Amino acid sequence: MTTRYVGAATTIRAEDVPALYEGAKFYSPAVSPEKTTLLSWTTSLLERNGPVTLVRPDAIAPETRCAAICVIGSGAALADLPPSGDEFALAVRELERLTRRRFEAVYPLAAATVSALAPLAAAAQLDLPLIDADGMGRTFALIHHTAMHLAGVSPTPLVIRGVTGENVAISTPGPARADTLLRSNVDVMGGWAALAAYPTTTGELRRAALTGTVSRLINVGRLLLESGDPDVLVARLAAVTGCRRIGRGRIVELEHLSRPADVTIPAHPSSVVIDEIGGQGRLLRLELRSEVVAVFADGALAAAAPDLICLVDVLHGELSTLDSLEPGDLVDVLVMPADAVWYSAEGLAMVGPASHGIPLPHPRRR
Amino acid sequence: MRPPLAPLELGELLRVEPLALATAVHLPDPARPVHEVVLAQTFDRLHRAAPHSLVVLHDEAATGGWALAAALHAGWERNVSAVVVPEAAMSSSSAVLADRLGIALLVISDEPVDVALTLAGQVSAPQAARALRVALCAERLAGQSSIRGVLGVLNSELAPLPVALVTGETVVAGRAAGAEEKPDGATVRVEINAAGRPWAELVAALPAKSTAAAGHVESVLRLARLPLLAVWAQTRMNSSAQAAQEQAAFGLLRRLATEPAGTGQALLPEVDVPSWTGELGWRVEGRNRAVWISPLQDGDGVPADELTQLVRAAWQRHRPDWPLVADSDGWISWQNIPDSEDAADGDASGAVAMRRALGSVSRAAESHALVLGVGGAHAGVAGLMRSVTEARLAAHVARDTGPGSVQWFDQVGARAALAWLPRRQIAEVADLCLTDLMGARDREALVDTVLAVLDCGGSLSQASARLGVHRNTVLARIARAKELGLVFDDPSWRLALHVLCYSLSSLWVSGRS
């Protein structure tokens, strides 16, 4: 067994990339990134350029300048329009030009899904350390849904760069406007773009970002790659992530109801009804947007965003993605607490159940 | 009566609009009281709902999916009486959840705000809602044309309380559970009288928690009395089909009583009373005293249909609460005497009632040339059959005394044997053997006199007293009869001549009529 768990400050090598990717998928279980070219490309970058240093923000000089990197847009567009390879590095360079300062480190905007790979690739290309911290600890829908924003760090100036070689720079006093401006530009660029944003210092990140989330991805990813038995998997995940199983049951109904959706996040509300096997035999109802945003057990809100809620296919011992659910599937419903910052009043107002059109008090706040 | 401000129950609200139009997806307890109506637009409002309120969801709280599930849970937490939801928000999993939480879930197609306002009006004025409900119930009852239909309306109106129509101990229609006593509950009974006599009872058994509703239940049951009587009377009026049905039913009853023949006639077999007897308006529990009605003339078996109609009409007029069944050469009716502690007392008062009853029908019987026989009072179905046989014998004897006459079996005794004699054939014998006598002009007086002497065991004085003539007249007539061939001194001839005289005398009696 070559298991090598990542501690506070170490390096990420080419052979760690699959585990990182697996963990990144786990922290955004709703979407299923295709076998992206980003994975093999990042692996080969690390093979060629050597390991990337992973460093905690408090283990580096506080005045170190850094920028957040992520993929903005849709995963489907990323598959249709593969990256040319230099978007992320060039976006950082463009942001340097705008701010007239060199960056000495990069960090992920969201340590989840393909956006966890992009900063690693950029760090390898730019020969910069990767900071073991991010703004979300999972994924949220909008660019200002970050711990940095809650701590008063502005997302702008920011730069996006498309496959077509175009840059767009945005500066705005209102962070919520930044996302709106971004989206229309991303559409024009072909559906996705490389984003460099939140220029700041590691000193600020110590205060404002969520620390240790990158190494967590690798650790979780290793568990997922190793384990096939769902009970063992859930027990191990619980030890690493603090997740718990709400219940195990069979999917009895998929509802696609045209209900009034919330105003901020475009998604079609639908529901999955699970008949719990064993336990109290409850009726579990999962509310789906672009992710599972709430779980009701017999009508009582048992878990809700920003909790990370995911389904494990019991027969196959692997994560179920939302587009693969079928009536009759036997699944475990797992719920994982998000970082504490999201349960503050401001955090809940931004990404809590009410932001998904469920105006109920969050179960962790009752 | 229940207090005027007692809150409405869910079941009551479901019988009047707008909830009468709602679909009850799950209804665990229709007897739950509804204290107020809550129009819940938000979950916040839902979480403040008082127990026993009726929650109508709209807007944000009625978007379906999780919203309905959460509303059901909140309703369950707050112990509300029911959750009312617009059709659009309903889903099959919500029905499952309502069932799981045991909370009433009603689906409406109307605008929830309108529904809530109407409901609030009803809940705040329970008496008005109840009056409306009773009026609707009366309307439905009036539309029924069968006993089963009336009971169906009662049972759906008062659900989940079971209502039964009972005659004696037998459940005639409705739900048998209605006649069962509940441990701590109450029983509401409403007697139904046909022509001033009890015919049946409507019985509803209330569980302990619903005893407050007794007043309302009773008023609904009272409402059903007239429709029930009307339906019953109508079925009795409907003659020919009814006659055939009653005849067949009586035949069936008779077979029930005679089938276990092994037990012997002396021990009357115990026969369970079939429920359909009550539906025909018959009562056979307790003791029965049969009346046999037959035409004076011994016809060729079955009497004419027209005569049956006449008898039925006469019976309907005088004894509407007694059955009338055409049977072979006559008609059967019977008086039912409920079991009382002292059977002898019951029979005595029954006999008095019977005498009074027959007094009123005898005039009609006379005008239709009918005679009546009355049997003894015996218990149960088998007893009825025995009484019928007795009454028939008595009626045969009654033929001797002319139209409209009534004979009681217990006064007839062995004389009944004479009634079965083939009197015509015997009279023919007289024509051949006693030619001289039959040719005499005073033959009737002669035969009557000889018969009286024989009846009185040869005592001339007794015979003269019975005939109302002088002893010498008797003596002279006997001498003349002997001259004409009617010699009864020889003991071996005496019985035959006695029977001959009896036959001739009784034939001439009917002939004179």
Side-chain angles (χ1 to χ4, degrees):
Chain A
M1 185 68 62
T2 58
T3 305
R4 187 179 65 97
Y5 287 93
V6 181
T10 179
T11 54
I12 300 179
R13 296 183 301 191
E15 59 263 35
D16 298 323
V17 177
L20 177 74
Y21 181 63
E22 204 61 30
K25 283 201 291 185
F26 179 70
Y27 276 90
S28 183
V31 286
S32 60
E34 317 280 322
K35 276 289 175 194
T36 173
T37 49
L38 222 50
L39 178 61
S40 53
W41 174 62
T42 310
T43 311
S44 60
L45 262 181
L46 263 63
E47 280 167 355
R48 196 162 58 241
N49 298 357
V52 167
T53 306
L54 182 66
V55 60
R56 290 176 71 99
D58 50 4
I60 191 170
E63 63 276 13
T64 310
R65 300 276 309 159
C66 53
I69 288 176
C70 88
V71 178
I72 190 159
S74 80
L78 186 68
D80 287 347
L81 194 66
S84 55
D86 56 0
E87 297 90 346
F88 300 100
L90 291 177
V92 174
R93 289 285 175 245
E94 183 63 17
L95 192 58
E96 282 177 344
R97 203 180 62 75
L98 272 177
T99 56
R100 296 176 190 169
R101 299 285 293 273
R102 294 293 284 186
F103 289 118
E104 295 138 22
V106 290
Y107 66 100
L109 183 66
T113 181
V114 287
S115 291
L117 291 178
L120 180 63
Q125 284 177 316
L126 297 166
D127 194 19
L128 294 178
L130 178 68
I131 294 173
D132 192 0
D134 82 323
M136 297 182 181
R138 47 167 298 185
T139 51
F140 291 118
L142 305 182
I143 190 181
H144 61 281
H145 287 175
T146 64
M148 285 88 76
H149 171 60
L150 288 178
V153 179
S154 170
T156 62
L158 62 79
V159 167
I160 54 170
R161 186 175 175 95
V163 186
T164 46
E166 296 160 322
N167 290 326
V168 174
I170 293 173
S171 289
T172 166
R177 287 284 293 160
D179 197 272
T180 316
L181 290 166
L182 261 177
R183 286 190 189 275
S184 50
N185 283 297
V186 166
D187 283 347
V188 175
M189 283 181 171
W192 78 274
L195 171 83
Y198 286 102
T200 183
T201 63
T202 48
E204 278 288 291
L205 283 192
R206 284 179 202 177
R207 179 179 66 84
L210 310 171
T211 302
T213 50
V214 177
S215 49
R216 182 176 65 178
L217 291 189
I218 298 174
N219 293 337
V220 169
R222 287 215 171 89
L223 285 181
L224 291 167
L225 287 175
E226 276 170 21
S227 183
D229 179 74
D231 291 323
V232 174
L233 175 65
V234 170
R236 288 184 176 180
L237 283 174
V240 175
T241 66
C243 74
R244 70 183 171 91
R245 178 162 61 195
I246 292 184
R248 170 175 292 180
R250 208 168 278 290
I251 296 178
V252 290
E253 203 170 333
L254 300 174
E255 281 179 6
H256 302 278
L257 299 170
S258 53
R259 299 199 294 268
D262 78 273
V263 284
T264 54
I265 301 163
H268 298 288
S270 51
S271 304
V272 176
V273 182
I274 297 173
D275 197 4
E276 190 182 25
I277 294 172
Q280 302 167 49
R282 295 168 299 179
L283 210 58
L284 303 175
R285 171 183 280 277
L286 271 52
E287 280 298 304
L288 272 51
R289 300 292 183 271
S290 53
E291 58 171 314
V292 184
V293 296
V295 180
F296 291 84
D298 280 348
L301 188 59
D307 294 352
L308 194 64
I309 300 158
C310 62
L311 299 176
V312 175
D313 184 324
V314 173
L315 287 183
H316 301 101
E318 61 185 32
L319 290 178
S320 298
T321 53
L322 295 191
D323 50 2
S324 70
L325 300 177
E326 300 272 359
D329 285 357
L330 188 62
V331 292
D332 277 334
V333 182
L334 300 188
V335 60
M336 205 176 335
D339 288 276
V341 65
W342 297 119
Y343 299 104
S344 66
E346 301 78 15
L348 280 178
M350 191 182 278
V351 295
S355 73
H356 297 284
I358 300 173
L360 298 174
H362 196 280
R364 292 184 198 273
R365 292 269 297 181
R366 262 185 229 148
Chain B
M1 285 297 288
R2 70 194 305 182
L5 288 177
L8 285 176
E9 286 173 5
L10 199 51
E12 293 181 279
L13 283 171
L14 280 168
R15 297 193 201 290
V16 287
E17 285 188 28
L19 283 194
L21 303 174
T23 311
V25 173
H26 185 60
L27 190 62
D29 181 12
R32 278 205 60 165
V34 176
H35 290 164
E36 63 170 344
V37 175
V38 171
L39 183 60
Q41 181 177 18
T42 62
F43 283 90
D44 192 35
R45 180 69 191 90
L46 206 51
H47 285 121
R48 282 186 286 116
H52 301 297
S53 53
L54 182 75
V55 175
V56 182
L57 302 179
H58 79 126
D59 280 8
E60 184 188 90
T63 50
W66 70 270
L68 181 51
L72 285 173
H73 187 87
W76 172 75
E77 277 181 336
R78 303 294 304 166
N79 191 21
V80 303
S81 296
V83 174
V84 179
V85 67
E87 222 165 20
M90 193 51 206
S91 66
S92 57
S93 59
S94 300
V96 175
L97 184 58
D99 184 23
R100 213 181 122 59
L101 295 176
I103 191 161
L105 177 59
L106 311 171
V107 179
I108 50 168
S109 48
D110 295 333
E111 180 57 40
V113 178
D114 296 345
V115 170
L117 284 176
T118 315
L119 282 173
Q122 289 170 352
V123 167
S124 62
Q127 283 311 88
R130 282 199 184 103
L132 179 60
R133 182 186 162 196
V134 168
L136 287 172
C137 176
E139 206 172 285
R140 285 168 68 206
L141 282 172
Q144 297 305 316
S145 59
S146 69
I147 290 180
R148 208 172 290 276
V150 171
L151 266 292
V153 170
L154 289 179
N155 269 312
S156 75
E157 174 65 26
L158 296 175
L161 298 181
V163 181
L165 180 70
V166 177
T167 61
E169 297 297 314
T170 312
V171 176
V172 175
R175 292 166 56 194
E180 289 162 12
E181 297 277 345
K182 292 272 173 2
D184 294 318
T187 306
V188 177
R189 292 177 181 275
V190 170
E191 200 166 75
I192 299 171
N193 291 321
R197 282 152 208 282
W199 162 54
E201 261 183 336
L202 278 170
V203 187
L206 275 66
K209 63 176 177 173
S210 300
T211 45
H216 176 70
V217 171
E218 192 176 339
S219 54
V220 171
L221 292 189
R222 282 176 187 283
L223 218 53
R225 284 184 304 185
L226 271 182
L228 270 181
L229 277 178
V231 166
W232 180 61
Q234 195 179 7
T235 52
R236 298 206 62 186
M237 294 284 280
N238 182 3
S239 48
S240 57
Q242 175 74 9
Q245 189 193 354
E246 286 183 340
Q247 206 166 349
F250 194 82
L252 207 55
L253 207 58
R254 179 177 280 152
R255 272 175 57 191
L256 277 179
T258 53
E259 217 105 281
T263 53
Q265 202 66 19
L267 293 169
L268 292 177
E270 281 286 320
V271 179
D272 288 336
V273 177
S275 61
W276 43 259
T277 55
E279 200 160 341
L280 289 164
W282 296 357
R283 299 181 63 146
V284 284
E285 301 92 355
R287 301 168 71 74
N288 300 298
R289 189 189 290 278
V291 180
W292 183 282
I293 308 143
S294 64
L296 184 64
Q297 299 292 350
D298 199 1
D300 316 325
V302 186
D305 274 351
E306 293 75 13
L307 195 53
T308 298
Q309 299 303 338
L310 285 174
V311 171
R312 184 180 292 283
W315 217 249
Q316 207 99 64
R317 200 158 52 244
H318 296 288
R319 289 287 105 194
D321 51 332
W322 289 11
L324 188 85
V325 184
D327 190 73
S328 62
D329 58 343
W331 301 271
I332 299 163
S333 183
W334 69 89
Q335 172 201 28
N336 182 265
I337 307 153
D339 271 324
S340 61
E341 280 180 19
D342 190 348
D345 269 6
D347 282 355
S349 63
V352 170
M354 175 62 96
R355 266 180 230 289
R356 202 176 299 134
L358 293 181
S360 65
V361 295
S362 61
R363 190 186 300 274
E366 196 175 345
S367 63
H368 293 306
L370 302 172
V371 291
L372 293 93
V374 182
H378 306 291
V381 176
L384 171 63
M385 293 310 155
R386 178 172 165 184
S387 186
V388 166
T389 313
E390 291 173 355
R392 192 175 183 197
L393 285 174
H396 266 89
V397 176
R399 280 178 174 163
D400 293 350
T401 33
S405 60
V406 177
Q407 195 57 260
W408 292 61
F409 176 75
D410 43 18
Q411 293 167 4
V412 169
R415 275 201 293 150
L418 295 178
W420 293 98
L421 292 175
R423 282 175 263 185
R424 255 174 238 290
Q425 285 89 325
I426 293 171
E428 282 172 21
V429 173
D431 284 340
L432 298 172
C433 301
L434 301 170
T435 323
D436 293 347
L437 177 71
M438 298 309 280
R441 277 195 302 171
D442 55 348
R443 60 182 189 269
E444 285 183 20
L446 296 180
V447 167
D448 280 351
T449 307
V450 171
L451 180 62
V453 171
L454 286 171
D455 280 352
C456 298
S459 164
L460 297 182
S461 52
Q462 280 180 29
S464 67
R466 181 168 142 182
L467 292 168
V469 295
H470 194 269
R471 189 174 175 278
N472 289 348
T473 308
V474 174
L475 206 56
R477 283 183 186 169
I478 287 172
R480 182 169 155 72
K482 282 180 179 169
E483 278 170 24
L484 293 171
L486 188 57
V487 183
F488 53 90
D489 295 339
D490 185 346
S492 60
W493 284 57
R494 191 177 295 152
L495 176 63
L497 289 174
H498 197 162
V499 170
L500 198 61
C501 291
Y502 166 77
S503 298
L504 288 171
S505 167
S506 62
L507 274 178
W508 286 332
V509 167
S510 17
R512 275 195 291 259
S513 69

